[in-house]
C-alpha cells in the first residue's frame, strides 16, 4: 500500500501570500517572507511549494536547509545556496580565512540576479551557523537594490532572531511578511480523514484524532498513514487503537527532535524540565540542570526551537507525558533517579506543593531526610482524599525505601496494608503476615493485634491463628493471666431448640463469635461470665508495678487475650480443622475488662440467647478504652454493635457505629469503613429504613466493590442487598442477586445462613411457600450448627412456621412458632418477642385476636417498625372478622347467603381497615362475582364470610394474586384465608375445593 498523500490543508491564506510575493518578484520587487510555527505545522512544505511555483514561473530558485549537525559549520548554508551558481566557490568558503567585512560570493550573487530575478529559499533558519546568518543579513540589507526574494522557515523561537524579521528596519523598502501557521481545525482534520480513506470518518473518531494530534499536520499524516496500513477504518469503535497509535507517532517525532538537539546545556535543561517543569519556575529548572555558561534566554530559545516544549504562563513546558517519557528514557537509571532526588530537594526548599514533591520522590533514589517520609505520607492522605488509592499505595511503598525507625516502619506498613486490602488483598495479607511475625509486645504495643484484626476484615482467617501461636511462643516464660472469681456456666437446657432433633446439633468446640456479618456464636454451650461489681483496673501508672504482671495491664497478656478472641472469631468464620499446622481453638478468656474480650463475649452470649442484661453491659464495655491505652480493635466493636442490635438498643448501636465510622475515615481504612457501613445497613433494615440501608450498602460497595470482597463475606452482603431491594420494592433486582453464582469458598462461610434466610424471604414474596420453608429450614440448620438459637438474630422459625401453615402442615407450624415464642421470652427483647407473637397469631386460630393485640403492644415498644405495621394491619383484619362472625351468628341462616355488592376500598387502603365492622358484603370487581353456593350452607360450615368469598373465587380458578386484586387485599391475606379454609374443610388444596363446590351446586 503506497503512503497516503495529503495536500496543504487550511493554508489558503499562506499560499495566496506566497503567490503574490513570487508574482511581484517577477516584476523586480524584492521581499522577505518568514514562515513560523511549531514543528510539524508544514513550514517546509510551504517553502517547497513556493520553490516549485517560482520555478514554473521562470524564476531562478536557490535552496538551502540548515540542520543542527551543521550549526557550527562556517558558511554551511551559503555553500548550499551558491553551489548551483558557482561550484568552485563552495569548497573555498570552508577553507578561506574569514576577513573582517568579507562576505564571499555575495557580490557575485547580486551581479547574477540583475539579469534574472531569484528566489532564495532557506529552511529551518533556527539552526543557521553564525557566518551564514551574517551573510544573509547582509543580503537583506541590499535587497531594495536587487530583484531577490528571501523565503525562510523557522520553528519556535530561533536561537538568534534574524535581523530581517518583521519589525526591524533592516529591510528598508522591501516587502516584509511573517506567516504564523496555526494547527488544523476540526474541519481540516475531517478533510484529512476524508482524503486518507476516501470516505468521511465518524465525528467521534475525527474529534479524537484532532485532540490526540493537537492538529499538527505532520502528526495527522503519519497517524492516518499507519492507521490505514494497519487495516483500520475511521469508526468510533476504533478510537482506542487510534490513541495508542498517536502516542507512538508523537513519541517517534519527539525522539527525532531530541536527536537533533546537540547542545549539552539544552539537553540538560530539557531533562530537568521534563522532571519538574510543571512544579518549578524556569530559573529553578536551570539551577537543577547544572552550571552552564549558556544564558537563560538562549536556553529558552533552544528549547523552543527543538519543538519539544510549549510556552505556558510564560515558562517553557514539555508538551505531554509521551514526550516527557521519551526525553527521560535515554538517561541511565541511576542518573535519572539522582535527577529526581535533586529536583525533590529543590522543590522542598522552595515549599512547593506536597503532592508534587511526592510525585518526584516516587522516582527518586532514597533521600535519607525525614522530610521525604513526611511529604510522602501527606501525599498519601491527599491521594486518598482524591480517590486515588493506587497513587496513595505508591506513596507509602516509596516511603518504606527511606531509612526508618522500627516502630515508624511498622506503622507505615500497617497503614499501607489497610489500603492494599482493597486494591491488592494478597499483597496486604503478605505485608500483615510480616508484621504479625515481626512485632513483639512492649510499651505501646498492639500492632500485632491490630494487624490480625485487619486480616479478619479482609477474610484472612489463618493469620489470627498464626498470630496467637507467635504470641504464645514469645511469652512461654511469662506468668499466666490472673483469673478472677468468674465462672462460665453452661447454657440452660431450655436453650436447646425443641424444633430440631439433637442430631442437628453438631458437637464441636465453642466458638466465640462472628466477624462483621456473621450469624451465630462460636459455642452453643457458652454463657456470660458472672461479673462481680469490682473496681476497674488501675490506670497506666500501675503498669510498672509488680502486681500487674500476668494481668491485662501487662502488654503481653493483653495482646494474648486479644489474639485469642480474634482466633476464635476466625475459627468460627471458617473451619480449617483439616490443616495440620492449625492450633486448636483456644478457650475464650474471662478477662472481660479487656474491650476486645468483652465485645466477643457480648456477641457470643447474645446469639446464644441468654443473659440479655449482661450482654448489653458487655457490649458497652467493648467501646470503653482500656486503662493501658491500647488501641481498640474493629472486629470486637462491630460484634458489640451487633450484640446491641439483638438487645433492641439500636439507637445506641447506631451512635457507636457512627463514631467507629469517623475513626475509620480518619485512618483511611477503606476495608473497615465498608464493613461498618454494612453493619449499619443491617441496623436500618431492622428499624424499617430500607432507603437508608440502600444508601449505606451503595457507599460500602464504593469503598469495597463486590469483586474485591472476600468470598467469606459475600453471602452476608448479598443477603442485605436482597432484603433491602425487597423492602424497597425492587423484586426483580433481588431475584438477580439471588441467582448470582457464588465462589466455592462462600459456601464454607458462617454468613451463608444470612443468604439462605434472604432467599426464603424472596420465595415468600413470590408466593412459593415450599421453597420458602426449605430455605428457612436450611437457614435454621446452619445457625444451629454454629450454636445460634436466639430468634433475635434471624426469625427463621416463625417464617418457616408460616410457610408450613400455608402448606397445611399445622403440626410443624405450631411446634416452630411455640418454640420461637419460648426462646424470645427467655431472651426478653421486645422485637423478637413481638415478631414471634405475630407469627403465633397467624398460624393458630386459638386466641388469635389476643395474640395480635399482644404483638402490637410488644412491637410498639420496639424499633422493628415493619413488623409493627404488619401486626396492626393483621389485628385490624382479625377484629373485623371477629365482628363479622358475631354478626353472622346473630343473623342465623340468613348469613349464609352473600349480601349485595359494595364498592371496593380506595386504591392504597387495605380492606382490613377501609370498611367499618359489621356484616361484610360480597366483593365484586368488574370481572367476577364471588358467589357462594346459596342452597347448601353446610358446604361453608365454620367458615367466616371473608373465607367464603375467597374460597368461591379460588373454586372459580383464580390464582392468589388475581383473588387479591378482586378483593383489594394483599396476596398474603389471600394465602392465609385459603389456609384456614383448607384446614376447616379438611381438604388438601384447590382441586378438592373445586370438586366440593361443584358437588354442592349439583354439577
Amino acid at each position: 500500500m503506497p503512503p497516503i498523500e495529503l495536500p496543504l490543508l487550511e493554508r489558503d491564506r499562506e499560499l495566496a501570500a506566497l503567490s503574490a510575493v513570487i508574482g511581484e518578484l517577477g516584476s523586480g520587487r524584492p521581499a522577505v517572507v518568514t514562515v513560523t510555527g511549531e514543528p510539524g505545522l508544514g513550514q517546509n512544505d510551504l517553502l517547497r511549494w513556493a520553490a516549485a511555483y517560482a520555478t514554473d514561473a521562470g524564476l531562478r530558485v536557490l535552496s538551502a536547509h540548515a540542520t543542527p549537525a551543521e550549526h557550527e559549520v562556517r558558511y554551511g548554508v551559503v555553500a548550499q545556496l551558491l553551489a548551483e551558481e558557482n561550484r568552485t566557490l563552495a569548497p573555498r568558503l570552508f577553507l578561506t580565512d574569514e576577513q573582517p567585512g568579507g562576505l564571499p560570493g555575495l557580490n557575485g550573487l547580486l551581479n547574477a540576479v540583475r539579469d534574472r530575478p531569484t528566489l532564495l529559499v532557506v529552511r529551518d533558519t533556527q539552526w543557521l551557523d553564525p557566518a551564514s546568518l551574517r551573510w544573509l543579513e547582509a543580503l537583506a540589507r541590499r535587497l531594495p537594490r536587487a530583484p531577490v526574494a528571501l523565503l525562510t522557515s523557522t520553528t519556535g523561537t530561533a536561537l538568534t532572531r534574524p535581523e530581517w524579521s518583521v519589525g526591524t528596519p533592516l529591510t528598508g523598502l522591501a516587502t516584509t511578511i511573517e506567516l504564523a501557521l496555526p494547527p488544523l481545525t476540526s474541519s481540516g482534520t475531517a478533510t484529512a480523514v476524508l482524503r486518507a480513506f476516501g470516505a468521511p470518518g465518524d465525528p467521534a473518531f475525527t474529534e479524537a484524532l484532532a485532540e490526540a494530534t493537537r492538529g499538527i499536520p505532520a502528526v495527522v499524516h503519519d497517524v492516518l498513514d499507519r492507521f490505514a496500513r494497519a487495516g483500520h477504518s475511521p469508526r468510533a469503535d476504533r478510537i482506542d487503537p487510534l490513541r495508542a497509535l498517536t502516542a507512538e507517532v508523537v513519541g517517534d517525532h519527539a525522539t527525532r527532535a531530541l536527536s537533533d538537539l546537540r547542545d549539552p546545556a539544552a539537553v540538560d535543561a530539557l531533562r530537568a524540565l521534563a522532571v519538574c517543569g510543571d512544579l518549578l519556575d524556569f530559573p529553578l529548572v536551570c539551577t537543577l540542570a547544572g552550571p552552564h555558561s549558556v544564558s537563560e534566554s538562549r536556553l529558552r530559545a533552544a528549547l523552543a526551537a527543538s519543538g519539544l516544549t510549549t510556552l505556558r504562563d510564560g515558562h517553557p513546558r514539555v508538551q505531554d507525558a509521551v514526550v516527557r517519557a521519551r526525553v527521560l528514557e535515554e538517561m541511565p537509571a541511576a542518573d535519572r533517579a539522582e535527577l529526581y532526588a535533586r529536583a525533590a530537594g529543590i522543590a522542598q526548599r522552595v515549599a512547593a506543593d506536597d503532592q508534587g514533591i511526592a510525585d518526584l520522590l516516587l522516582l527518586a533514589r532514597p533521600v535519607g531526610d525525614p522530610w521525604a517520609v513526611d511529604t510522602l505520607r501527606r501525599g498519601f492522605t491527599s491521594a486518598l482524599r482524591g480517590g486515588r488509592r493506587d497513587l496513595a499505595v505508591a506513596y507509602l511503598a516509596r516511603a518504606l525505601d527511606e531509612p526508618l525507625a522500627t516502630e515508624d516502619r511498622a506503622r507505615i506498613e500497617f497503614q499501607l496494608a489497610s489500603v492494599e486490602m482493597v486494591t491488592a488483598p494478597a499483597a496486604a495479607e503478605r505485608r500483615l503476615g510480616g508484621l504479625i511475625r515481626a512485632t513483639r509486645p512492649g510499651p505501646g504495643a498492639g500492632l500485632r493485634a491490630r494487624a490480625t484484626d485487619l486480616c479478619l476484615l479482609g477474610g484472612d482467617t489463618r493469620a489470627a491463628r498464626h498470630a496467637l501461636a507467635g504470641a504464645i511462643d514469645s511469652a512461654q516464660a511469662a506468668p499466666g493471666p490472673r483469673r478472677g472469681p468468674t465462672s462460665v456456666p453452661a447454657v440452660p437446657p431450655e436453650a436447646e431448640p425443641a424444633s430440631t432433633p439433637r442430631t442437628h446439633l453438631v458437637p464441636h468446640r465453642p466458638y466465640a463469635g462472628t466477624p462483621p456479618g456473621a450469624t451465630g456464636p462460636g459455642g452453643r454451650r457458652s454463657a456470660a461470665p458472672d461479673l462481680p461489681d469490682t473496681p476497674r483496673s488501675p490506670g497506666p501508672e500501675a503498669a510498672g508495678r509488680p502486681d500487674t504482671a500476668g494481668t491485662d495491664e501487662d502488654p503481653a497478656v493483653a495482646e494474648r487475650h486479644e489474639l485469642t478472641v480474634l482466633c476464635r472469631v476466625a475459627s468460627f468464620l471458617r473451619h480449617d480443622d483439616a490443616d495440620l499446622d492449625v492450633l486448636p481453638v483456644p478457650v475464650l478468656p474471662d478477662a472481660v475488662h479487656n474491650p476486645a474480650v468483652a465485645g466477643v463475649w457480648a456477641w457470643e452470649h447474645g446469639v446464644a440467647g441468654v443473659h440479655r442484661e449482661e450482654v448489653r453491659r458487655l457490649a458497652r464495655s467493648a467501646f470503653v478504652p482500656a486503662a493501658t491505652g491500647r488501641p481498640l480493635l474493629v472486629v470486637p466493636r462491630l460484634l458489640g454493635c451487633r450484640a446491641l442490635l439483638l438487645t433492641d438498643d439500636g439507637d445506641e448501636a447506631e451512635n457507636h457505629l457512627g463514631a467507629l465510622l469517623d475513626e475509620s475515615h480518619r485512618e483511611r481504612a477503606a476495608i473497615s469503613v465498608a464493613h461498618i457501613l454494612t453493619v449499619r445497613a443491617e441496623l436500618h433494615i431492622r428499624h424499617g429504613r430500607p432507603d437508608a440501608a440502600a444508601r449505606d450498602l451503595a457507599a460500602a460497595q464504593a469503598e469495597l466493590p463486590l469483586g474485591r470482597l472476600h468470598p467469606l463475606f459475600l453471602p452476608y452482603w448479598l443477603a442485605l442487598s436482597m432484603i433491602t431491594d425487597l423492602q424497597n420494592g425492587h423484586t426483580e433486582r433481588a431475584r438477580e442477586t439471588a441467582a448470582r453464582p457464588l465462589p466455592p469458598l462462600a459456601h464454607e462461610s458462617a454468613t451463608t445462613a444470612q443468604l439462605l434466610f434472604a432467599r426464603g424471604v424472596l420465595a415468600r414474596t413470590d408466593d412459593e411457600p415450599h421453597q420458602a420453608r426449605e430455605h428457612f429450614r436450611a437457614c435454621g440448620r446452619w445457625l444451629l450448627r454454629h450454636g445460634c438459637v436466639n430468634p433475635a438474630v434471624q426469625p427463621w422459625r416463625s417464617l418457616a412456621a408460616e410457610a408450613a401453615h400455608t402448606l397445611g402442615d399445622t403440626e410443624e407450624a405450631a411446634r416452630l412458632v411455640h418454640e420461637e415464642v419460648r426462646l424470645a421470652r427467655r431472651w426478653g427483647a421486645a422485637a423478637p418477642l413481638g415478631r414471634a407473637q405475630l407469627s403465633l397469631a397467624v398460624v393458630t386460630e386459638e386466641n388469635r385476636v389476643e395474640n395480635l393485640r399482644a404483638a402490637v403492644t410488644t412491637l410498639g415498644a420496639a424499633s422493628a417498625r415493619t413488623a409493627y405495621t404488619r401486626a396492626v394491619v393483621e389485628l385490624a383484619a382479625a377484629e373485623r372478622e371477629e365482628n363479622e362472625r358475631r354478626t353472622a351468628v346473630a343473623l342465623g341462616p340468613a348469613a349464609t347467603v352473600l349480601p349485595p355488592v359494595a364498592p371496593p376500598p380506595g386504591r392504597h387502603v387495605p380492606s382490613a381497615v377501609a370498611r367499618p365492622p359489621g356484616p361484610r358484603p360480597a366483593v365484586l370487581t368488574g370481572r367476577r362475582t364471588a358467589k357462594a353456593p346459596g342452597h347448601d350452607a353446610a358446604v361453608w360450615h365454620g367458615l367466616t364470610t371473608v373465607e367464603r368469598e375467597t374460597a368461591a373465587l379460588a373454586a372459580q380458578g383464580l390464582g392468589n394474586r388475581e383473588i387479591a386484586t378482586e378483593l383489594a387485599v394483599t396476596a398474603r391475606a389471600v394465602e392465609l384465608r385459603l389456609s384456614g379454609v383448607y384446614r376447616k374443610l379438611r381438604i388438601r388444596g384447590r382441586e378438592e375445593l373445586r370438586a366440593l363446590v361443584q358437588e354442592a351446586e349439583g354439577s
Side-chain angles (χ1 to χ4, degrees):
M1 177 180 178
I4 62 174
E5 296 291 339
L6 295 179
L8 293 170
L9 300 174
E10 296 187 327
R11 297 294 182 255
D12 296 338
R13 179 181 65 89
E14 291 79 6
L15 294 175
L18 292 175
S19 300
V21 168
I22 293 172
E24 292 179 353
L25 178 61
S27 302
R29 184 170 181 179
V32 176
V33 181
T34 304
V35 184
T36 65
E38 289 185 51
L41 288 179
Q43 299 93 317
N44 293 338
D45 292 336
L46 278 174
L47 266 61
R48 281 189 285 268
W49 179 90
Y53 185 84
T55 300
D56 294 340
L59 303 179
R60 179 190 289 113
V61 178
L62 302 179
S63 300
H65 187 192
T67 63
E70 298 179 357
H71 177 61
E72 301 297 333
V73 177
R74 187 162 54 96
Y75 292 119
V77 170
V78 174
Q80 296 179 50
L81 286 173
L82 301 181
E84 295 183 7
E85 292 297 318
N86 190 343
R87 294 184 181 277
T88 61
L89 175 62
R92 295 200 302 270
L93 291 175
F94 305 113
L95 302 174
T96 304
D97 293 335
E98 186 175 355
Q99 301 295 326
L103 297 169
L106 181 56
N107 291 331
L109 176 63
L110 293 175
N111 291 331
V113 300
R114 295 185 186 278
D115 299 330
R116 186 180 178 186
T118 302
L119 176 67
L120 300 181
V121 179
V122 182
R123 288 174 286 169
D124 293 334
T125 56
Q126 71 271 14
W127 304 117
L128 279 173
D129 61 277
S132 295
L133 177 61
R134 289 193 300 272
W135 193 93
L136 290 174
E137 288 175 346
L139 173 64
R141 284 193 294 269
R142 292 165 175 78
L143 283 184
R145 301 188 299 274
V148 177
L150 179 59
L151 176 59
T152 64
S153 68
T154 182
T155 58
T157 303
L159 299 181
T160 302
R161 186 173 178 84
E163 293 188 10
W164 63 75
S165 301
V166 175
T168 62
L170 180 64
T171 56
L173 300 176
T175 302
T176 304
I177 301 174
E178 182 171 348
L179 300 176
L181 300 183
L184 295 179
T185 63
S186 298
S187 176
T189 306
T191 303
V193 174
L194 176 62
R195 296 293 183 90
F197 293 95
D202 290 345
F205 178 89
T206 303
E207 182 180 355
L209 176 63
E211 178 184 357
T213 61
R214 297 189 299 118
I216 306 298
V219 180
V220 172
H221 176 275
D222 289 352
V223 169
L224 292 179
D225 183 63
R226 296 189 192 182
F227 198 76
R229 288 176 180 274
H232 299 304
S233 56
R235 302 194 312 268
D237 59 350
R238 309 306 300 166
I239 289 179
D240 289 340
L242 171 71
R243 287 175 176 160
L245 187 59
T246 303
E248 181 181 344
V249 171
V250 171
D252 292 344
H253 282 235
T255 300
R256 287 196 296 269
L258 188 61
S259 64
D260 291 338
L261 194 61
R262 303 300 180 90
D263 187 354
V267 172
D268 290 343
L270 182 62
R271 289 172 174 173
L273 200 63
V275 167
C276 60
D278 295 335
L279 187 64
L280 302 179
D281 293 338
F282 191 69
L284 293 174
V285 172
C286 294
T287 302
L288 175 64
H292 290 289
S293 59
V294 181
S295 64
E296 179 182 328
S297 60
R298 185 172 178 83
L299 285 177
R300 286 175 177 267
L303 294 175
S306 69
L308 298 172
T309 62
T310 58
L311 200 64
R312 292 197 301 267
D313 301 329
H315 297 282
R317 297 285 187 265
V318 177
Q319 285 182 357
D320 51 33
V322 175
V323 177
R324 183 179 295 110
R326 291 297 179 97
V327 168
L328 295 174
E329 67 183 5
E330 295 183 359
M331 295 182 65
D335 294 346
R336 188 166 55 244
E338 176 65 26
L339 182 61
Y340 272 103
R342 289 193 289 113
I346 293 175
Q348 193 271 337
R349 286 195 294 273
V350 299
D353 177 65
D354 278 339
Q355 195 153 357
I357 303 175
D359 289 337
L360 295 176
L361 289 171
L362 282 179
L363 301 173
R365 59 162 175 77
V367 175
D369 291 328
W371 63 263
V373 176
D374 295 339
T375 302
L376 287 166
R377 297 187 74 173
R378 289 194 297 269
F380 163 81
T381 302
S382 179
L384 281 185
R385 191 180 297 115
R388 294 289 310 278
R389 287 178 180 156
D390 53 343
L391 186 60
V393 167
Y395 286 150
L396 279 194
R398 170 62 183 83
L400 293 174
D401 294 336
E402 297 289 334
L404 293 166
T406 303
E407 291 186 3
D408 292 338
R409 180 174 296 276
R411 291 191 185 95
I412 293 178
E413 290 265 11
F414 178 80
Q415 195 173 22
L416 176 57
S418 67
V419 181
E420 285 182 331
M421 270 296 179
V422 178
T423 61
E429 290 177 7
R430 289 193 298 269
R431 196 178 301 279
L432 291 173
L435 281 178
I436 291 171
R437 291 188 296 271
T439 308
R440 290 293 178 263
L447 192 58
R448 178 157 52 181
R450 294 184 67 194
T452 308
D453 184 59
L454 187 58
C455 282
L456 279 183
L457 291 173
D460 182 7
T461 57
R462 294 177 59 84
R465 301 182 177 189
H466 294 309
L468 180 60
I472 294 174
D473 292 341
S474 63
Q476 289 296 333
R482 184 178 61 192
R483 306 183 65 86
T486 62
S487 60
V488 185
V491 175
E494 61 269 16
E496 297 186 7
S499 64
T500 306
R502 294 188 59 84
T503 56
H504 290 175
L505 300 176
V506 181
H508 55 74
R509 299 183 305 266
Y511 294 111
T514 65
T519 54
R524 175 173 56 86
R525 294 192 175 276
S526 300
D530 299 330
L531 302 180
D533 295 330
T534 56
R536 291 190 57 82
S537 302
E541 66 277 1
R545 295 203 303 259
D547 59 352
T548 63
T551 70
D552 259 18
E553 294 181 27
D554 182 352
V557 174
E559 181 182 72
R560 194 158 60 249
H561 284 168
E562 291 170 351
L563 293 177
T564 298
V565 297
L566 292 177
C567 184
R568 291 171 62 86
V569 171
S571 300
F572 166 78
L573 183 61
R574 183 187 179 194
H575 298 294
D576 287 331
D577 296 340
D579 295 338
L580 298 179
D581 60 339
V582 174
L583 291 176
V585 179
V587 178
L588 187 65
D590 57 3
V592 293
H593 50 277
N594 185 309
V597 178
V600 176
W601 266 121
W603 174 245
E604 175 172 344
H605 306 313
V607 295
V610 292
H611 307 297
R612 183 165 63 96
E613 291 302 322
E614 289 296 341
V615 167
R616 179 181 286 119
R617 193 170 91 180
L618 287 168
R620 290 168 177 168
S621 299
F623 302 95
V624 179
T628 56
R630 294 178 62 83
L632 298 178
L633 304 181
V634 176
V635 170
R637 282 186 285 175
L638 282 178
L639 295 177
C641 288
R642 298 203 64 209
L644 290 174
L645 292 183
L646 302 183
T647 61
D648 276 359
D649 296 302
D651 293 338
E652 184 177 351
E654 189 168 8
N655 292 335
H656 287 307
L657 287 171
L660 190 55
L661 188 63
D662 291 341
E663 175 188 317
S664 298
H665 275 302
R666 287 194 302 270
E667 295 181 354
R668 312 293 176 185
I671 188 79
S672 301
V673 170
H675 281 294
I676 295 165
L677 288 171
T678 308
V679 174
R680 196 169 70 175
E682 181 186 355
L683 182 149
H684 291 317
I685 291 173
R686 288 175 176 267
H687 288 192
R689 301 193 293 262
D691 51 345
R695 288 194 297 270
D696 274 351
L697 286 176
Q701 293 186 24
E703 294 286 341
L704 180 61
L706 286 179
R708 296 294 182 90
L709 181 66
H710 196 279
L712 293 179
F713 298 118
L714 187 58
Y716 177 61
W717 286 45
L718 295 181
L720 292 181
S721 298
M722 288 177 60
I723 298 297
T724 302
D725 287 336
L726 289 174
Q727 291 187 358
N728 284 320
H730 304 308
T731 308
E732 190 59 37
R733 190 187 304 170
R735 294 192 186 100
E736 294 175 0
T737 303
R740 175 173 179 158
L742 297 178
L745 190 58
H747 298 287
E748 303 177 15
S749 170
T751 66
T752 305
Q754 297 280 4
L755 185 57
L756 292 171
F757 183 85
R759 286 174 175 170
V761 175
L762 176 62
R764 173 189 171 98
T765 304
D766 289 339
D767 197 15
E768 298 177 352
H770 283 285
Q771 290 189 16
R773 181 170 66 172
E774 291 306 314
H775 285 311
F776 291 135
R777 283 174 171 175
C779 171
R781 287 193 295 270
W782 199 266
L783 291 176
L784 293 173
R785 174 189 175 189
H786 293 86
C788 178
V789 297
N790 192 344
V793 178
Q794 288 294 7
W796 64 270
R797 297 177 184 82
S798 59
L799 295 186
E802 293 184 21
H805 175 70
T806 302
L807 296 172
D809 192 347
T810 56
E811 182 179 352
E812 180 186 5
R815 175 167 48 84
L816 286 171
V817 76
H818 280 99
E819 179 183 341
E820 178 141 331
V821 170
R822 178 178 57 82
L823 293 174
R825 288 188 187 280
R826 189 190 70 182
W827 176 239
L833 178 59
R835 283 193 297 263
Q837 291 171 334
L838 175 59
S839 295
L840 177 64
V842 169
V843 303
T844 60
E845 289 294 332
E846 184 179 359
N847 299 325
R848 181 165 180 256
V849 175
E850 288 75 8
N851 288 333
L852 286 174
R853 288 171 179 164
V856 170
T857 302
T858 304
L859 291 171
S863 55
R865 307 318 300 167
T866 302
Y868 175 75
T869 302
R870 181 191 171 200
V872 170
V873 173
E874 293 284 355
L875 176 60
E879 288 178 341
R880 177 179 53 77
E881 291 180 3
E882 181 69 16
N883 290 333
E884 290 176 353
R885 186 186 64 78
R886 293 172 182 172
T887 303
V889 171
L891 291 176
T896 60
V897 180
L898 300 181
V901 176
R907 179 179 179 185
H908 298 290
V909 180
S911 60
V913 294
R915 298 184 179 92
R920 176 182 175 88
V923 177
L924 179 68
T925 65
R927 294 192 303 161
R928 293 181 175 86
T929 303
K931 182 179 179 181
H935 300 290
D936 194 352
V939 175
W940 305 127
H941 179 71
L943 301 184
T944 64
T945 303
V946 293
E947 288 176 339
R948 294 176 186 178
E949 63 186 21
T950 304
L953 290 173
Q956 295 178 27
L958 274 69
N960 285 4
R961 296 182 185 276
E962 294 176 306
I963 297 174
T965 302
E966 294 289 340
L967 301 182
V969 297
T970 63
R972 177 63 179 160
V974 174
E975 176 186 312
L976 296 176
R977 292 177 187 178
L978 289 178
S979 298
V981 170
Y982 300 154
R983 184 177 65 257
K984 292 177 181 179
L985 298 182
R986 299 181 181 275
I987 58 178
R988 290 178 293 181
R990 290 175 181 265
E991 293 299 327
E992 295 186 13
L993 176 64
R994 188 177 298 109
L996 187 63
V997 172
Q998 290 175 352
E999 181 181 355
E1001 293 177 347
S1003 57

